[in-house]
Amino acid sequence: METVVFACVHNAGRSQMAAAFFNALADPTRARALSAGTQPGARIHPEVQAVMAEVGIDLSGILPQRLTDELARNAGWLITMGCGDACPVIPGLKRDDWPLDDPKGQPMHRVREIRDEVRARVVGLLTRQHWLLAR
């Protein structure tokens, strides 16, 4: 079982979308995702909850969480969300950075574009790693 940690600063937008898509599309016997932030916000951005609900993913009961060594202990990957110098570093993990705009405060059409880009990147990762759930 491979664990991927999607991380950003506030864990209230991009990383939440990525983990939700990952867990919905991955073969659960091969891989799973967590999301976390270095300075977690109080809640997921409402515009993110709304656009994810449009594609059938409910984030209403999810709260941002802090990225800790314990949370990342069994992970194999850390994927950051374009947070620049504020992106976390965890030694020993495979790393990738997805330079994605922060959806906070964006107009809904832009939040949808970010959501769709996140989904495409998740599908690409799942396909490359052979973790995509056969449907």
Side-chain angles (χ1 to χ4, degrees):
M1 167 73 71
E2 189 75 53
T3 299
V4 176
V5 176
F6 291 99
C8 60
V9 176
H10 297 117
N11 189 224
R14 298 162 289 188
S15 57
Q16 292 286 355
M17 289 190 278
F21 278 128
F22 189 102
N23 289 326
L25 300 170
D27 178 341
T29 67
R30 305 201 59 192
R32 70 182 183 121
L34 306 170
S35 73
T38 54
Q39 299 170 13
R43 62 186 169 92
I44 295 176
H45 304 313
E47 57 270 34
V48 169
Q49 285 188 36
V51 300
M52 292 301 283
E54 292 173 358
V55 295
I57 296 178
D58 180 10
L59 296 180
S60 63
I62 308 279
L63 291 174
Q65 65 178 338
R66 182 170 306 282
L67 178 60
T68 63
D69 290 340
E70 183 179 339
L71 184 130
R73 181 172 295 129
N74 296 315
W77 284 82
L78 173 66
I79 299 179
T80 53
M81 303 280 131
C83 42
D85 292 340
C87 282
V89 175
I90 299 174
L93 299 186
K94 295 175 209 139
R95 273 209 71 199
D96 199 359
D97 183 64
W98 295 353
L100 299 161
D101 289 340
D102 188 345
K104 182 180 181 181
Q106 298 283 343
M108 291 304 282
H109 76 276
R110 182 65 188 124
V111 179
R112 288 183 188 99
E113 290 170 355
I114 295 166
R115 174 200 64 201
D116 295 346
E117 185 176 351
V118 168
R119 185 183 189 286
R121 287 177 177 269
V122 166
V123 168
L125 174 65
L126 291 169
T127 301
R128 282 190 307 280
Q129 298 299 320
H130 307 287
W131 297 332
L132 193 60
L133 183 62
R135 295 195 187 253

